[in-house]
Amino acid sequence: MSSVAVIDYGMGNLHSIAKALQHAASHCRVTVTDDPATIMAAERVVFPGVGSIGDCMDALKLRGLVPVLAEVVRSRPLLGICLGMQALLDDSEENGMTACLGIVPGHVRRFSAPLSDPRGNLLKIPHMGWNQVIQSRPHPLWAGIPDRSRFYFVHSYYACPNRVGDVAATTSYPEPFAAAIASGNLFAVQFHPEKSQAAGLRLLANFLDWNPKD
Amino acid sequence: MLATRIIPCLDVDNGRVVKGVRFVEIRDAGDPVEIARRYDQEGADELTFLDITASSDDRETMVHVVEQVAGEVFIPLTVGGGIRTIQDIRRMLNAGADKVSINTAAVFNPEFVKEAADRFGSQCIVVALDAKQTAHGPDRWEIFTHGGRKPTGLDAIEWARKMVDYGAGEILLTSMDRDGTKSGFDLALTRAISEAVPVPVIASGGVGTLQHLADGVTEGKADAVLAASIFHFGEYSIRQAKEFMASRGIEVRL
């Protein structure tokens, strides 16, 4: 039986992500944990998160998870979600300037108000709701998911990877930003696959089937 | 482009959906899980549950409802009604809710909104505003509590701004003049609030036709529209509502 660990570091409700993973693949053993040994024993790891990046980094440090995440990315598939994606970059504009994990070179920036769409309507912050995800390149996690499928977003900050090649998808609000990052064992999404109905469940199932070394 | 959200709202009393949901081919019209599943299949962008259970002793029932729905329906869930303490919020989020909606408690204790947003993040704190036009002019609205019965003296626009300053990530705006009338949203109110705050505004109260939903977006500048009876009674499906809105040039998730 394949196993997946969902990292629980006190940043938000992990109930949904655990249930969605179980729903996407009933053959998979889903463990919600903050224990480094349990995380390292899993074949795959999901790194979720909502809230602010300062709290997120503090919680990771408190639990000794910073080196664990670096080791996970070297050795097995890792799926970052929302704040779990942003934390992978070098730093974030949120909470002053917060140093992050530095696993993906680049920065996290805030949507700068006021934003407006091409028709002149005011765009609200947070970017909240279903938006189209434009796949930048083929990837096993996009299997069976039509290009421009809509996923559910809720965020005020977005990742800007330095390397164009790390971007796996973009979404426009109103300018394009990185909706997904892919690099080696790592796949990370700004949207919430656990709240994105069929397309989201398919992405989670694809992650549970993904073997990066194949 | 970001899609305008369509959100069906379900009233739940002691674990059962009330106000008669009438779907064809539904086994149990009061079962929140079955109804949630049905709306999810029709393409609802989110679901809102309003707990109208009178006794606080029976609130635990709502936690179980949320747990069951969250285990089967993978779209955002908001729970409102009776959210008064940090512990109430934690229980709902742990059960699988993505957001909670705070109404009366915000009026009596605005600091509660601040505390909740600090603790759980603005993204899961919706502040519900029940507003009524005042006698002081056409473009003045006042916040009411207790289902529109008790005036508070608070100006709706100022109150909306204050709630956002305190950390509300979204505003659920209900016109108490229009609620239940099927005569359409109060478009002036919706637009005034939506243009006054930087966060998304959900329009609610008064929807009787699909044109009303579209007007809420094009005229009212709402970021999302919430309705109950037009969906529950099978007058229109969520899909029909979305197709209509798309025909009016509104971006929707089809």
Side-chain angles (χ1 to χ4, degrees):
Chain A
M1 185 184 273
S2 66
S3 60
V4 58
V6 179
I7 303 182
D8 176 10
Y9 56 113
M11 294 302 286
N13 156 36
L14 306 179
H15 195 83
S16 304
I17 181 71
K19 279 193 172 176
L21 285 163
Q22 202 65 73
H23 198 273
S26 54
H27 62 276
C28 202
R29 193 172 67 248
V30 182
T31 311
V32 178
T33 180
D34 69 344
D35 173 46
T38 309
I39 293 168
M40 293 311 297
E43 288 170 23
R44 294 158 211 285
V45 176
V46 175
F47 177 34
V50 294
S52 77
I53 195 74
D55 291 345
C56 164
M57 290 308 299
D58 288 347
L60 290 175
K61 286 174 195 158
L62 187 71
R63 290 167 173 76
L65 292 172
V66 172
V68 174
L69 278 160
E71 179 51 34
V72 164
V73 128
R74 276 194 290 273
S75 55
R76 67 207 70 198
L78 175 71
L79 177 64
I81 298 174
C82 194
L83 196 62
M85 170 182 183
Q86 296 177 8
L88 298 167
L89 282 290
D90 289 323
D91 50 40
S92 170
E93 287 180 0
E94 193 176 7
N95 306 123
M97 187 60 98
T98 305
C100 302
L101 295 167
I103 290 171
V104 176
H107 311 279
V108 178
R109 301 192 199 288
R110 191 173 208 280
F111 288 117
S112 49
L115 299 177
S116 58
D117 72 9
R119 293 171 200 162
N121 292 315
L122 183 71
L123 295 179
K124 301 300 182 71
I125 300 169
H127 172 223
M128 184 188 288
W130 298 78
N131 207 338
Q132 289 169 306
V133 171
I134 299 156
Q135 299 168 16
S136 313
R137 58 188 171 92
H139 193 283
L141 264 73
W142 297 135
I145 299 172
D147 192 19
R148 308 184 89 86
S149 290
R150 288 184 184 275
F151 288 85
Y152 187 81
F153 290 82
V154 50
H155 62 122
S156 302
Y157 294 79
Y158 60 96
C160 307
N162 290 347
R163 299 186 299 236
V164 176
D166 285 346
V167 177
T170 59
T171 290
S172 295
Y173 195 68
E175 299 299 321
F177 67 88
I181 286 175
S183 174
N185 290 332
L186 169 73
F187 199 88
V189 292
Q190 180 59 64
F191 51 82
H192 289 271
E194 77 280 14
K195 288 290 155 187
S196 297
Q197 221 212 12
L201 292 174
R202 181 62 196 257
L203 187 131
L204 293 176
N206 290 343
F207 173 69
L208 296 173
D209 285 339
W210 181 36
N211 293 300
K213 291 190 183 79
D214 287 357
Chain B
M1 247 173 94
L2 185 65
T4 297
R5 289 168 284 152
I6 298 190
I7 308 172
C9 179
L10 297 160
D11 285 0
V12 180
D13 187 3
N14 215 351
R16 303 280 298 167
V17 174
V18 294
K19 286 198 192 166
V21 175
R22 284 188 216 153
F23 280 134
V24 197
E25 294 164 22
I26 197 158
R27 280 173 296 143
D28 179 355
D31 177 10
V33 180
E34 194 168 353
I35 293 162
R37 207 187 290 131
R38 171 71 177 249
Y39 279 133
D40 175 47
Q41 286 161 1
E42 278 189 0
D45 296 310
E46 295 189 22
L47 291 174
T48 291
F49 287 99
L50 187 61
D51 186 8
I52 59 167
T53 307
S55 158
S56 55
D57 296 345
D58 296 328
R59 285 273 153 68
E60 200 58 30
T61 314
M62 193 63 192
V63 175
H64 298 308
V65 167
V66 173
E67 271 173 2
Q68 288 175 346
V69 172
E72 294 201 36
V73 173
F74 298 99
I75 57 175
L77 305 176
T78 302
V79 180
I83 303 288
R84 295 193 178 86
T85 66
I86 291 293
Q87 182 59 17
D88 291 337
I89 299 176
R90 183 177 292 118
R91 276 161 68 220
M92 286 306 173
L93 297 181
N94 284 341
D98 298 282
K99 312 178 207 178
V100 292
S101 170
I102 303 171
N103 187 346
T104 308
V107 173
F108 292 122
N109 179 16
E111 293 295 323
F112 174 51
V113 173
K114 198 178 265 182
E115 197 187 339
D118 283 347
R119 193 75 66 93
F120 303 106
S122 290
Q123 82 290 333
C124 66
I125 305 300
V126 182
V127 171
L129 266 59
D130 291 347
K132 244 184 195 174
Q133 202 162 49
T134 71
H136 305 298
D139 288 341
R140 296 283 297 277
W141 298 269
E142 183 180 346
I143 299 294
F144 277 67
T145 61
H146 298 84
R149 293 193 304 277
K150 289 194 182 173
T152 63
L154 297 165
D155 175 78
I157 295 172
E158 284 171 25
W159 181 246
R161 285 200 180 111
K162 179 171 174 176
M163 288 295 95
V164 173
D165 286 345
Y166 276 41
E170 199 171 22
I171 298 289
L172 168 56
L173 174 66
T174 303
S175 161
M176 300 314 290
D177 298 309
R178 298 301 180 91
D179 202 30
T181 65
K182 289 185 166 271
S183 59
F185 294 121
D186 182 336
L187 296 173
L189 166 68
T190 306
R191 186 171 189 142
I193 299 287
S194 189
E195 291 182 341
V197 296
V199 303
V201 171
I202 306 166
S204 158
V207 175
T209 68
L210 298 182
Q211 184 66 48
H212 292 155
L213 291 174
D215 290 345
V217 180
T218 54
E219 309 286 319
K221 303 289 175 194
D223 301 283
V225 286
L226 180 140
S229 57
I230 68 157
F231 297 132
H232 298 338
F233 295 115
E235 289 168 55
Y236 302 103
S237 68
I238 302 279
R239 175 136 198 124
Q240 282 174 308
K242 287 189 166 184
E243 283 169 353
F244 182 86
M245 288 168 81
S247 76
R248 295 296 185 274
I250 298 166
E251 190 82 7
V252 290
R253 177 177 73 108
L254 278 170

